[in-house]
Amino acid sequence: MKEAESRSTKPGKTGLTRLIQATGNSISGIKACWQNEAAFRQDVGLSLILFPFSFYLAESTTQWLALITPLMLLLIVELLNSAVEATVDRIGHEHHEMSGRAKDLASAAVMLSLFLIAAAWGAIAWTNFS
């Protein structure tokens, strides 16, 4: 059992040192996405435009969270979409059905995130202003 346990744990940093390194890796990932992905920059722009309006539109903390949560989800999904695209492109640029499917599925997740933003914002606007 001890041998199996030692194989399942990754060697490297632990505790606070690991947390600091992981945070640095996350910041590097966000920077790389910003520099290399126009769609991510557009999604950040949309989020930055809508965020201040969330304070105007929301009539409660619950509504405010319902408005900003899909904005954050969009950014998360776009980061994952970019990761899928980078991985597929790293494997090769020749056309392959499975590669295309992976990219299309990740893109569909971004589209559904945008639909979620429209639904949440539309429903709360309708509720508060009709």
Side-chain angles (χ1 to χ4, degrees), residues 65-83:
L65 286 171
L67 292 171
I68 65 161
T69 298
L71 297 176
M72 290 300 297
L73 181 64
L74 173 65
L75 299 179
I76 293 166
V77 172
E78 188 64 63
L79 285 165
L80 294 171
N81 177 44
S82 296

PDB file of all heavy atoms in Angstrom, residues 65-83:
ATOM      1  N   LEU A  65     -25.812  38.860  -7.953  1.00  0.00           N
ATOM      2  CA  LEU A  65     -25.029  37.637  -8.170  1.00  0.00           C
ATOM      3  C   LEU A  65     -25.508  36.890  -9.415  1.00  0.00           C
ATOM      4  O   LEU A  65     -24.700  36.314 -10.146  1.00  0.00           O
ATOM      5  CB  LEU A  65     -25.103  36.731  -6.936  1.00  0.00           C
ATOM      6  CG  LEU A  65     -24.288  37.194  -5.736  1.00  0.00           C
ATOM      7  CD1 LEU A  65     -24.603  36.347  -4.508  1.00  0.00           C
ATOM      8  CD2 LEU A  65     -22.800  37.159  -6.050  1.00  0.00           C
ATOM      9  N   ALA A  66     -26.813  36.915  -9.658  1.00  0.00           N
ATOM     10  CA  ALA A  66     -27.351  36.262 -10.853  1.00  0.00           C
ATOM     11  C   ALA A  66     -26.900  36.967 -12.127  1.00  0.00           C
ATOM     12  O   ALA A  66     -26.884  36.370 -13.202  1.00  0.00           O
ATOM     13  CB  ALA A  66     -28.876  36.206 -10.786  1.00  0.00           C
ATOM     14  N   LEU A  67     -26.538  38.237 -12.034  1.00  0.00           N
ATOM     15  CA  LEU A  67     -26.039  38.988 -13.191  1.00  0.00           C
ATOM     16  C   LEU A  67     -24.537  38.783 -13.403  1.00  0.00           C
ATOM     17  O   LEU A  67     -24.089  38.640 -14.543  1.00  0.00           O
ATOM     18  CB  LEU A  67     -26.330  40.482 -13.020  1.00  0.00           C
ATOM     19  CG  LEU A  67     -27.790  40.899 -13.061  1.00  0.00           C
ATOM     20  CD1 LEU A  67     -27.941  42.361 -12.659  1.00  0.00           C
ATOM     21  CD2 LEU A  67     -28.397  40.644 -14.432  1.00  0.00           C
ATOM     22  N   ILE A  68     -23.757  38.781 -12.340  1.00  0.00           N
ATOM     23  CA  ILE A  68     -22.301  38.705 -12.527  1.00  0.00           C
ATOM     24  C   ILE A  68     -21.779  37.275 -12.633  1.00  0.00           C
ATOM     25  O   ILE A  68     -20.739  37.049 -13.255  1.00  0.00           O
ATOM     26  CB  ILE A  68     -21.527  39.466 -11.432  1.00  0.00           C
ATOM     27  CG1 ILE A  68     -21.729  38.849 -10.072  1.00  0.00           C
ATOM     28  CG2 ILE A  68     -21.878  40.942 -11.460  1.00  0.00           C
ATOM     29  CD1 ILE A  68     -20.656  39.254  -9.071  1.00  0.00           C
ATOM     30  N   THR A  69     -22.511  36.313 -12.083  1.00  0.00           N
ATOM     31  CA  THR A  69     -22.041  34.921 -12.163  1.00  0.00           C
ATOM     32  C   THR A  69     -21.884  34.450 -13.604  1.00  0.00           C
ATOM     33  O   THR A  69     -20.853  33.869 -13.950  1.00  0.00           O
ATOM     34  CB  THR A  69     -22.964  33.991 -11.360  1.00  0.00           C
ATOM     35  OG1 THR A  69     -22.919  34.391  -9.985  1.00  0.00           O
ATOM     36  CG2 THR A  69     -22.540  32.536 -11.474  1.00  0.00           C
ATOM     37  N   PRO A  70     -22.850  34.694 -14.502  1.00  0.00           N
ATOM     38  CA  PRO A  70     -22.635  34.249 -15.881  1.00  0.00           C
ATOM     39  C   PRO A  70     -21.500  35.006 -16.582  1.00  0.00           C
ATOM     40  O   PRO A  70     -20.882  34.470 -17.506  1.00  0.00           O
ATOM     41  CB  PRO A  70     -23.969  34.489 -16.582  1.00  0.00           C
ATOM     42  CG  PRO A  70     -24.881  35.096 -15.609  1.00  0.00           C
ATOM     43  CD  PRO A  70     -24.207  35.167 -14.292  1.00  0.00           C
ATOM     44  N   LEU A  71     -21.201  36.235 -16.145  1.00  0.00           N
ATOM     45  CA  LEU A  71     -20.067  36.959 -16.719  1.00  0.00           C
ATOM     46  C   LEU A  71     -18.756  36.257 -16.365  1.00  0.00           C
ATOM     47  O   LEU A  71     -17.877  36.076 -17.214  1.00  0.00           O
ATOM     48  CB  LEU A  71     -20.036  38.408 -16.228  1.00  0.00           C
ATOM     49  CG  LEU A  71     -21.208  39.300 -16.610  1.00  0.00           C
ATOM     50  CD1 LEU A  71     -21.062  40.680 -15.961  1.00  0.00           C
ATOM     51  CD2 LEU A  71     -21.347  39.415 -18.110  1.00  0.00           C
ATOM     52  N   MET A  72     -18.638  35.857 -15.103  1.00  0.00           N
ATOM     53  CA  MET A  72     -17.437  35.121 -14.686  1.00  0.00           C
ATOM     54  C   MET A  72     -17.376  33.751 -15.360  1.00  0.00           C
ATOM     55  O   MET A  72     -16.310  33.310 -15.771  1.00  0.00           O
ATOM     56  CB  MET A  72     -17.418  34.956 -13.162  1.00  0.00           C
ATOM     57  CG  MET A  72     -17.174  36.245 -12.414  1.00  0.00           C
ATOM     58  SD  MET A  72     -15.592  37.025 -12.828  1.00  0.00           S
ATOM     59  CE  MET A  72     -14.450  35.792 -12.274  1.00  0.00           C
ATOM     60  N   LEU A  73     -18.530  33.115 -15.476  1.00  0.00           N
ATOM     61  CA  LEU A  73     -18.576  31.815 -16.134  1.00  0.00           C
ATOM     62  C   LEU A  73     -18.110  31.928 -17.580  1.00  0.00           C
ATOM     63  O   LEU A  73     -17.380  31.059 -18.077  1.00  0.00           O
ATOM     64  CB  LEU A  73     -19.990  31.236 -16.066  1.00  0.00           C
ATOM     65  CG  LEU A  73     -20.177  29.859 -16.696  1.00  0.00           C
ATOM     66  CD1 LEU A  73     -19.355  28.819 -15.960  1.00  0.00           C
ATOM     67  CD2 LEU A  73     -21.645  29.478 -16.700  1.00  0.00           C
ATOM     68  N   LEU A  74     -18.504  32.984 -18.265  1.00  0.00           N
ATOM     69  CA  LEU A  74     -18.066  33.197 -19.643  1.00  0.00           C
ATOM     70  C   LEU A  74     -16.548  33.243 -19.723  1.00  0.00           C
ATOM     71  O   LEU A  74     -15.951  32.612 -20.603  1.00  0.00           O
ATOM     72  CB  LEU A  74     -18.664  34.488 -20.207  1.00  0.00           C
ATOM     73  CG  LEU A  74     -18.147  34.927 -21.581  1.00  0.00           C
ATOM     74  CD1 LEU A  74     -18.524  33.921 -22.657  1.00  0.00           C
ATOM     75  CD2 LEU A  74     -18.658  36.326 -21.915  1.00  0.00           C
ATOM     76  N   LEU A  75     -15.923  33.971 -18.821  1.00  0.00           N
ATOM     77  CA  LEU A  75     -14.462  34.081 -18.845  1.00  0.00           C
ATOM     78  C   LEU A  75     -13.808  32.730 -18.554  1.00  0.00           C
ATOM     79  O   LEU A  75     -12.821  32.359 -19.191  1.00  0.00           O
ATOM     80  CB  LEU A  75     -13.992  35.144 -17.861  1.00  0.00           C
ATOM     81  CG  LEU A  75     -14.506  36.557 -18.128  1.00  0.00           C
ATOM     82  CD1 LEU A  75     -13.995  37.521 -17.069  1.00  0.00           C
ATOM     83  CD2 LEU A  75     -14.139  37.030 -19.524  1.00  0.00           C
ATOM     84  N   ILE A  76     -14.375  31.990 -17.618  1.00  0.00           N
ATOM     85  CA  ILE A  76     -13.848  30.662 -17.292  1.00  0.00           C
ATOM     86  C   ILE A  76     -13.963  29.737 -18.497  1.00  0.00           C
ATOM     87  O   ILE A  76     -13.009  29.048 -18.871  1.00  0.00           O
ATOM     88  CB  ILE A  76     -14.597  30.071 -16.080  1.00  0.00           C
ATOM     89  CG1 ILE A  76     -14.280  30.873 -14.822  1.00  0.00           C
ATOM     90  CG2 ILE A  76     -14.270  28.598 -15.889  1.00  0.00           C
ATOM     91  CD1 ILE A  76     -15.210  30.602 -13.647  1.00  0.00           C
ATOM     92  N   VAL A  77     -15.127  29.724 -19.124  1.00  0.00           N
ATOM     93  CA  VAL A  77     -15.345  28.843 -20.277  1.00  0.00           C
ATOM     94  C   VAL A  77     -14.454  29.252 -21.444  1.00  0.00           C
ATOM     95  O   VAL A  77     -13.919  28.401 -22.157  1.00  0.00           O
ATOM     96  CB  VAL A  77     -16.847  28.813 -20.664  1.00  0.00           C
ATOM     97  CG1 VAL A  77     -17.066  28.060 -21.954  1.00  0.00           C
ATOM     98  CG2 VAL A  77     -17.662  28.186 -19.547  1.00  0.00           C
ATOM     99  N   GLU A  78     -14.256  30.545 -21.633  1.00  0.00           N
ATOM    100  CA  GLU A  78     -13.368  31.003 -22.714  1.00  0.00           C
ATOM    101  C   GLU A  78     -11.926  30.579 -22.457  1.00  0.00           C
ATOM    102  O   GLU A  78     -11.209  30.209 -23.391  1.00  0.00           O
ATOM    103  CB  GLU A  78     -13.462  32.520 -22.879  1.00  0.00           C
ATOM    104  CG  GLU A  78     -12.732  33.046 -24.097  1.00  0.00           C
ATOM    105  CD  GLU A  78     -13.305  32.539 -25.406  1.00  0.00           C
ATOM    106  OE1 GLU A  78     -14.461  32.825 -25.709  1.00  0.00           O
ATOM    107  OE2 GLU A  78     -12.560  31.836 -26.152  1.00  0.00           O
ATOM    108  N   LEU A  79     -11.489  30.615 -21.210  1.00  0.00           N
ATOM    109  CA  LEU A  79     -10.148  30.115 -20.880  1.00  0.00           C
ATOM    110  C   LEU A  79     -10.032  28.624 -21.212  1.00  0.00           C
ATOM    111  O   LEU A  79      -9.033  28.187 -21.793  1.00  0.00           O
ATOM    112  CB  LEU A  79      -9.837  30.355 -19.400  1.00  0.00           C
ATOM    113  CG  LEU A  79      -9.513  31.788 -18.992  1.00  0.00           C
ATOM    114  CD1 LEU A  79      -9.599  31.947 -17.481  1.00  0.00           C
ATOM    115  CD2 LEU A  79      -8.134  32.194 -19.498  1.00  0.00           C
ATOM    116  N   LEU A  80     -11.047  27.856 -20.853  1.00  0.00           N
ATOM    117  CA  LEU A  80     -11.027  26.426 -21.164  1.00  0.00           C
ATOM    118  C   LEU A  80     -11.089  26.173 -22.667  1.00  0.00           C
ATOM    119  O   LEU A  80     -10.415  25.278 -23.183  1.00  0.00           O
ATOM    120  CB  LEU A  80     -12.181  25.722 -20.447  1.00  0.00           C
ATOM    121  CG  LEU A  80     -12.083  25.708 -18.923  1.00  0.00           C
ATOM    122  CD1 LEU A  80     -13.379  25.185 -18.308  1.00  0.00           C
ATOM    123  CD2 LEU A  80     -10.893  24.901 -18.462  1.00  0.00           C
ATOM    124  N   ASN A  81     -11.892  26.969 -23.380  1.00  0.00           N
ATOM    125  CA  ASN A  81     -11.961  26.861 -24.831  1.00  0.00           C
ATOM    126  C   ASN A  81     -10.591  27.121 -25.446  1.00  0.00           C
ATOM    127  O   ASN A  81     -10.145  26.393 -26.343  1.00  0.00           O
ATOM    128  CB  ASN A  81     -12.993  27.850 -25.377  1.00  0.00           C
ATOM    129  CG  ASN A  81     -13.082  27.844 -26.886  1.00  0.00           C
ATOM    130  OD1 ASN A  81     -13.095  26.807 -27.529  1.00  0.00           O
ATOM    131  ND2 ASN A  81     -13.125  29.029 -27.477  1.00  0.00           N
ATOM    132  N   SER A  82      -9.916  28.134 -24.965  1.00  0.00           N
ATOM    133  CA  SER A  82      -8.588  28.456 -25.479  1.00  0.00           C
ATOM    134  C   SER A  82      -7.596  27.340 -25.167  1.00  0.00           C
ATOM    135  O   SER A  82      -6.718  27.030 -25.979  1.00  0.00           O
ATOM    136  CB  SER A  82      -8.099  29.777 -24.888  1.00  0.00           C
ATOM    137  OG  SER A  82      -8.941  30.825 -25.307  1.00  0.00           O
ATOM    138  N   ALA A  83      -7.733  26.717 -24.003  1.00  0.00           N
ATOM    139  CA  ALA A  83      -6.864  25.593 -23.647  1.00  0.00           C
ATOM    140  C   ALA A  83      -7.083  24.409 -24.589  1.00  0.00           C
ATOM    141  O   ALA A  83      -6.124  23.772 -25.038  1.00  0.00           O
ATOM    142  CB  ALA A  83      -7.102  25.175 -22.206  1.00  0.00           C
TER     143      ALA A  83
END
